Amino acid sequence: MSIGHTLLGLLESGPRHGYDLKRTFDEKFGHDRPLHYGQVYSTMSRLLKNGLVEVDGIESDGGPERKRYAITEAGITDVSAWLAQPEKPEPYLQSTLYTKVVLALLTGRSAADLLDAQRSEHLRLMRILTDRKRKGDLADQLICDHALFHLEADLRWLELTAARLGRLAKVVNP
Amino acid sequence: MTPAGSLLTAHDLHKSYGSTPALDGASFSIHPGEVVAVMGPSGSGKSTLLHCLAGIVTPDRGTITYAGRELSTMSDAERSALRRTEFGFVFQFGQLVPELTCVENVALPLRLSGARRKDAERTALTWMERLEVDDLGAKRPAEVSGGQGQRVAVARALASSPKVIFADEPTGALDSLNGERVLELLTEAARSANVAVVLVTHEARVAAYSDRDVTVRDGRARDLEHAV
Ligand SMILES: Nc1ncnc2c1ncn2[C@@H]1O[C@H](COP(=O)(O)OP(=O)(O)OP(=O)(O)O)[C@@H](O)[C@H]1O
Ligand SMILES: [Mg+2]
């Protein structure tokens, strides 16, 4: 995910402090991986340098200085362009799993066991996500569903590959 | 032979249709209140396993024990009484009686067990509320959507307070959103009433609602965690 674009987007509703940005980001998008302050700080300096945000004011109320950032016209254009640009679908052609299956076949290990173990691991994670989805709010449901559909796609590949192991073995070990 | 605490156990089941082996040494066990997904490729024997476990199909070989009693020692009448009082069923299609209204359908298992019409329909409505279809009571199955029909079928399966629900691709004909809701309601209701669920599915997202899964390949059930 582009943290820069996301922080920029959050600024569109009005100027915010770095701390406020981090908190909002974590709350909305950072379920598993909250931002570090360092990340926010370095991202904001880059955006500042590129003219996508400007400093809207500085407060100190006794403590350390806190910059308040505002998005610029260039920043708004940048967010629009990012939102309009479709993401490149990730085909994962060089998947580690494929490599592992072929290596298992090449070295006479059980590729079927490897696939079974992977299948269980995928399902285990799918159970955790399903449980979280069941207990969560709509945002949790959408995030978990995204992960679940991807895991499901992997699983279908695992099953198809398991069904084709005999043929694959002949191709790999002619 | 029966794993400690299990409610329903099958050991080394074999079943052939003519020369086609459908089960070839399948074993299975489930505890009270547990949701177990039965997965595997098409034609691997999932439905046959479910039908054997439920006493609908008699295996050629192997034993099935329910609550300490072996199914093969029961008479046909005893087995069908067991299905009526202890088991509930949800299938992919066409399980509701078209001539009856939805509430009559849900009440049917209770009526067959001798409950009075009023009592049976009151219990039926409680379950229909739980499944969010209580407003459909007066409609006939042909007048409700596929997803609503499945909810009615789940309510019917739960209405007789069974100990085990057998569900064969219960969401197979539904879109994701409806399918997920049906599963959510089914597994929640089952867990809170301590009903075991045998959930046949080839979809991982459906299986993810289970507590564990068993894979059937070529008529053999591989139970990785609980080898029986
Ligand atoms: N009543 C029957 N008569 C003849 N053969 C049958 C019968 N029922 C099942 N079979 C055969 O037994 C095997 C297992 O069938 P089963 O229905 O148990 O598979 P399944 O895993 O449920 O498949 P699916 O995912 O397609 O529903 C198949 O080869 C099938 O053709
Ligand atoms: Mg089947």
Side-chain angles (χ1 to χ4, degrees):
Chain A
M1 170 164 43
S2 166
I3 294 170
H5 286 117
T6 311
L7 293 181
L8 264 183
L10 290 177
L11 283 176
E12 277 208 53
S13 58
R16 292 168 190 264
H17 297 293
Y19 174 75
D20 191 20
L21 274 173
K22 173 196 151 44
R23 218 191 42 208
T24 310
F25 181 98
D26 290 351
E27 189 187 298
K28 288 202 161 32
F29 310 111
H31 286 268
D32 289 325
R33 271 177 291 177
L35 289 180
H36 301 295
Y37 285 106
Q39 266 174 301
V40 179
Y41 180 77
S42 61
T43 305
M44 293 321 288
S45 4
R46 179 169 56 77
L47 296 177
L48 203 56
K49 201 177 76 199
N50 295 339
L52 303 176
V53 298
E54 59 198 14
V55 174
D56 180 62
I58 296 181
E59 283 169 22
S60 58
D61 17 281
E65 285 191 345
R66 297 195 306 172
K67 281 185 191 149
R68 201 170 62 190
Y69 299 98
I71 191 166
T72 62
E73 276 307 316
I76 293 173
T77 309
D78 201 51
V79 174
S80 300
W82 181 59
L83 290 180
Q85 175 71 42
E87 294 296 310
K88 184 167 178 281
E90 292 285 354
Y92 303 116
L93 278 180
Q94 294 297 327
S95 109
T96 314
L97 284 178
Y98 175 76
T99 311
K100 278 186 162 182
V101 169
V102 171
L103 263 182
L105 291 172
L106 278 173
T107 57
R109 293 181 169 93
S110 170
D113 286 355
L114 183 160
L115 288 168
D116 261 347
Q118 190 62 51
R119 207 179 145 277
S120 303
E121 189 57 19
H122 266 64
L123 252 180
R124 196 180 65 81
L125 181 54
M126 289 181 76
R127 274 201 186 89
I128 293 172
L129 290 167
T130 300
D131 201 44
R132 185 166 135 189
K133 183 169 94 169
R134 194 157 41 189
K135 293 171 183 154
D137 58 12
L138 184 58
D140 281 319
Q141 287 169 22
L142 290 174
I143 291 166
C144 291
D145 270 334
H146 187 261
L148 280 165
F149 280 115
H150 277 84
L151 288 166
E152 185 186 32
D154 279 354
L155 254 171
R156 287 166 73 166
W157 181 84
L158 290 168
E159 266 153 27
L160 264 181
T161 306
R164 288 169 173 164
L165 271 183
R167 274 164 65 201
L168 184 61
K170 288 199 190 95
V171 176
V172 170
N173 288 317
Chain B
M1 193 166 286
T2 303
S6 78
L7 177 63
L8 177 62
T9 305
H11 183 72
D12 198 26
L13 299 184
H14 292 257
K15 173 75 190 174
S16 293
Y17 292 103
S19 60
T20 311
L23 290 179
D24 182 22
S27 296
F28 179 88
S29 81
I30 189 165
H31 286 71
E34 195 181 24
V35 180
V36 178
V38 177
M39 304 188 70
S42 183
S44 58
K46 302 181 295 293
S47 296
T48 307
L49 175 61
L50 180 137
H51 292 147
C52 287
L53 290 171
I56 298 169
V57 163
T58 308
D60 302 334
R61 201 139 73 66
T63 53
I64 300 163
T65 315
Y66 172 75
R69 297 178 66 196
E70 208 181 296
L71 257 53
S72 65
T73 65
M74 296 182 190
S75 67
D76 285 350
E78 284 175 316
R79 262 199 304 272
S80 74
L82 182 74
R83 282 201 297 272
R84 207 171 55 234
T85 57
E86 309 276 298
F87 298 166
F89 296 89
V90 186
F91 296 116
Q92 187 172 349
F93 299 112
Q95 42 198 319
L96 298 173
V97 182
E99 292 82 8
L100 300 181
T101 64
C102 286
V103 74
E104 286 166 348
N105 263 286
V106 176
L108 188 61
L110 295 165
R111 299 274 285 142
L112 291 175
S113 299
R116 290 212 319 260
R117 183 192 170 107
K118 242 176 119 178
D119 297 335
E121 293 193 356
R122 202 174 44 233
T123 308
L125 265 178
T126 316
W127 282 105
M128 290 177 77
E129 250 168 59
R130 187 86 179 258
L131 274 295
E132 304 168 345
V133 284
D134 46 314
D135 53 332
L136 302 178
K139 293 199 169 185
R140 284 172 214 286
E143 299 164 343
V144 304
S145 77
Q148 290 165 338
Q150 277 316 71
R151 291 178 193 212
V152 173
V154 171
R156 184 175 71 174
L158 285 158
S160 53
S161 307
K163 298 284 190 301
V164 188
I165 286 184
F166 296 93
D168 196 345
E169 302 282 3
T171 60
L174 305 181
D175 66 40
S176 318
L177 206 57
N178 267 297
E180 298 240 349
R181 189 72 189 133
V182 167
L183 274 172
E184 213 174 284
L185 294 167
L186 168 62
T187 51
E188 253 172 45
R191 285 194 177 103
S192 66
N194 207 33
V195 181
V197 181
V198 181
L199 175 63
V200 168
T201 182
H202 61 270
E203 281 183 86
R205 271 182 319 112
V206 171
Y209 281 86
S210 68
D211 299 310
R212 66 186 170 88
D213 56 285
V214 169
T215 305
V216 184
R217 284 193 210 287
D218 302 327
R220 299 173 145 270
R222 281 191 73 181
D223 190 338
L224 292 174
E225 286 164 52
H226 294 228
V228 280

